Amino acid sequence: VDKDNPLFVGDIVISALAVDRVGNANAIGENGLAFTLETDLYKERNPEETIFKTGDGAVLDITTTGYVEKLEVIFPEELLRFCPDLPLRYEYEYPYLKHTETIKFSIPLGICEREYEIIIKAYKNEEMLVSKQTLLIVEGNILDELRTRIRNNG
C-alpha cells in the first residue's frame, strides 16, 4: 500500500449517534478528510508588535492539519529580490495529521515601507486551501533606534 496503490480512495465520513433511555437521539458527522491552514506572523524580538521595521527579524508560523501533502509560500517579489533563499515550497512524502513549519527571515534594509501580502497555499488530493490574508506591514528603520556615543577615556 502506497500513494500510487492506496488501500482506499474516496471520502471518509465519520458519524456518531447517541440515544438515551427515554428516546432522545443526537447524530453528528464530520468529513474525515478536511484540512485546515493557519498562519501567524510576528517579530522575532517583540512578538506582540505587529508593525515591522526594515532590519527586523520576522517569524512566520504555518500550521496545517488533516494530512496536507504540499505547502506553497508566496512572498512578495520585492522581498524575494533581497532574500532569494526563502523557502517557497514544502512537499511531504508522509503527510502529518498536524504540522507546523517555521520560517525565519529578516526584513531587508532596502525594502520600501508599505504593506506586503504573503500568500500561503495548502494542497491535498488535488484540493487547494488558501490562507487568509497575511500582511507584513513595514514602517520605519531599525537603525533609527541606534545611538552612537563618543567617550573620552583620556
Side-chain angles (χ1 to χ4, degrees):
V1 177
D2 58 15
K3 193 172 189 175
D4 296 327
N5 301 309
L7 182 63
F8 174 79
V9 176
D11 291 338
I12 299 172
V13 178
I14 302 167
S15 60
L17 175 67
V19 180
D20 62 14
R21 292 180 188 215
V22 293
N24 296 321
N26 190 16
I28 57 172
E30 183 177 313
N31 183 352
L33 293 180
F35 62 106
T36 63
L37 172 62
E38 295 177 16
T39 62
D40 190 22
L41 179 66
Y42 54 92
K43 283 179 144 184
E44 192 170 25
R45 289 184 304 132
N46 300 322
E48 64 279 348
E49 292 182 21
T50 57
I51 297 176
F52 294 82
K53 295 182 178 188
T54 58
D56 264 336
V59 179
L60 176 63
D61 286 334
I62 305 166
T63 303
T64 59
T65 61
Y67 301 100
V68 168
E69 297 167 350
K70 184 169 72 169
L71 192 63
E72 187 176 3
V73 183
I74 303 169
F75 286 99
E77 285 296 322
E78 192 171 350
L79 189 61
L80 287 175
R81 261 186 295 171
F82 290 99
C83 307
D85 57 339
L86 284 174
L88 303 176
R89 185 178 309 249
Y90 298 92
E91 294 193 28
Y92 306 111
E93 185 176 348
Y94 302 104
Y96 303 94
L97 174 62
K98 182 175 182 179
H99 186 69
T100 300
E101 290 289 350
T102 300
I103 302 171
K104 293 184 178 184
F105 60 98
S106 294
I107 311 299
L109 291 173
I111 202 168
C112 293
E113 296 178 18
R114 64 181 182 92
E115 290 184 1
Y116 296 94
E117 182 180 9
I118 301 172
I119 301 169
I120 296 100
K121 298 179 181 178
Y123 298 90
K124 177 183 172 183
N125 294 337
E126 308 300 322
E127 291 182 46
M128 180 181 70
L129 183 64
V130 179
S131 73
K132 65 181 181 189
Q133 193 175 33
T134 303
L135 287 180
L136 172 67
I137 303 169
V138 179
E139 291 180 5
N141 188 329
I142 197 168
L143 297 178
D144 295 339
E145 297 175 10
L146 296 178
R147 295 183 184 184
T148 57
R149 294 184 183 182
I150 299 174
R151 292 187 178 177
N152 185 359
N153 291 332

